Amino acid sequence: WIKRSFIWVGSIGLFSFGGIGAIAVGGWLSLRGSVTIGTTLLMYQYMLKLEEPIEQVTEQLAEFQKSAAGLRRTAELMATKPTVMRTGRGELPSGPLSLEVKDVSYTYDEAEGTVLNQISLSLRPGTRLGLLGRTGGGKSTLTKLVARFFDPSEGSVLLGGIDLREISTDSLRTRVAFVNQDVRLFTGTVRQNVTIFDPTVSDSEVERAVREVGLGPWLDRLPSGIRTQIGLDGTGVSSGEAQLLAFARAYLRDPGLVILDEPSSRVDPATEAMLSKAMDRLTAGRTSIIIAHRLDTVSTAEEILILDDGIVVEHGLRAELAQTDSRFSAMVDAASAGAFRQGRARP
């Protein structure tokens, strides 16, 4: 950027001096009678004519500087070696997957301390788990370990009875769906965004997935259906529609484990109701982990796990925890009291 600025400032300085020089020389020659005033003005006009093409050259040089910097950064990224070794060859079984987390600890940075500390968890196939806790408690870190975005510092994670390090990357990415609150859409058609540019998926499968998550009326309004273009970063698509498209991506793959990280945190109440129905369809018959701050989001979960400072402070059946003197029960009471106060405050 500094080099680009030097080029731009240099071109402005060059033509400033050039314009002054043309007027000065023309004026001097005019006073001597060598040229007329018209010739002096013509010299200045020639100077201005030279300015435009040279400015274009400097702009291209500036773009080249930016492109060269981008290429260097891309090369650095491509040279980065992954910390997770993809050497496994195992294949995950079909259907809902069991999950077992054995004494897992994780540290991002030694200076920051342990994020997760001796976490143990066991889920039967088809179980819905609501994962609760304060911000920074380790909820997202735990789910990223389950999706094997990185490996635990200690302990192991098993899916379908197989250690994640022994499972092939293709099998893991196909059988585990991770949907977070920050949905990324690409410049392309609805179909390309749902399939992630996979040409082997049929149009009927894509349309069925989109309608299954509740986007049927929206799809019917599109001028070209699933062939309708979506702009850069989802231009023309609302946050709720983008979240539902992310659900359609996951549904299309028919995963055995679904991880939902705060799926309804950025939507209005009406859209949240649509997302809740879509979540029910997506998690039906599948093992699922739902991270949430609002208790309504985990209303259909059979089990609840609460993390605090990287430690499991409570885990059990939702119905049992709600009837006992537990943290979850206290959270339910606090949420109910808050809703009651808001209801009384309305005109």
Side-chain angles (χ1 to χ4, degrees), residues 127-309:
T127 303
R128 294 180 185 177
L129 174 71
L131 187 52
L132 306 175
R134 292 183 297 180
T135 301
K139 304 185 299 297
S140 294
T141 300
L142 176 59
T143 55
K144 288 175 182 176
L145 287 171
V146 172
R148 210 194 173 197
F149 292 165
F150 32 76
D151 288 329
S153 305
E154 297 178 13
S156 58
V157 180
L158 287 78
L159 274 180
I162 309 173
D163 193 303
L164 291 185
R165 286 165 285 206
E166 299 175 2
I167 301 171
S168 71
T169 304
D170 289 342
S171 179
L172 185 64
R173 295 290 171 252
T174 301
R175 301 288 293 133
V176 177
F178 191 104
V179 181
N180 62 15
Q181 57 187 310
D182 187 17
V183 179
R184 294 294 180 183
L185 297 180
F186 308 100
T187 301
T189 63
V190 173
R191 171 196 160 82
Q192 289 170 333
N193 273 276
V194 173
T195 64
I196 315 295
F197 299 90
D198 185 354
T200 63
V201 182
S202 68
D203 287 356
S204 60
E205 290 177 297
V206 175
E207 185 168 342
R208 180 163 56 87
V210 173
R211 293 187 182 278
E212 189 66 28
V213 298
L215 280 176
W218 173 78
L219 186 64
D220 292 335
R221 291 194 301 270
L222 296 180
S224 303
I226 61 172
R227 301 286 177 174
T228 302
Q229 286 285 329
I230 293 177
L232 180 64
D233 290 332
T235 303
V237 179
S238 70
S239 58
E241 291 163 351
Q243 193 72 64
L244 288 170
L245 283 174
F247 283 3
R249 288 174 180 171
Y251 187 88
L252 188 65
R253 289 157 54 186
D254 191 20
L257 172 65
V258 179
I259 300 172
L260 304 176
D261 189 353
E262 291 286 351
S264 60
S265 63
R266 298 184 178 182
V267 297
D268 56 82
T271 307
E272 185 177 2
M274 292 179 58
L275 286 176
S276 295
K277 293 180 181 178
M279 277 193 288
D280 290 343
R281 296 190 188 98
L282 179 59
T283 58
R286 299 181 174 94
T287 310
S288 54
I289 302 174
I290 306 170
I291 299 176
H293 283 113
R294 289 182 285 191
L295 295 181
D296 290 345
T297 309
V298 294
S299 60
T300 59
E302 293 95 359
E303 296 187 21
I304 296 294
L305 185 144
I306 300 177
L307 281 178
D308 192 4
D309 291 331

Side-chain angles (χ1 to χ4, degrees), residues 20-79:
I20 293 171
I23 293 174
V25 172
W28 178 68
L29 291 174
S30 178
L31 290 173
R32 292 189 55 188
S34 301
V35 297
T36 63
I37 294 294
T39 303
T40 301
L41 291 174
L42 189 61
M43 290 171 60
Y44 181 69
Q45 288 297 322
Y46 282 153
M47 187 67 199
L48 294 179
K49 288 289 184 182
L50 284 172
E51 184 174 356
E52 185 177 348
I54 294 179
E55 274 190 350
Q56 292 177 353
V57 171
T58 58
E59 287 175 2
Q60 293 301 319
L61 286 173
E63 292 300 318
F64 176 77
Q65 291 288 348
K66 289 198 295 182
S67 300
L71 286 171
R72 285 195 297 271
R73 292 167 64 188
T74 302
E76 291 172 2
L77 176 63
M78 299 300 292

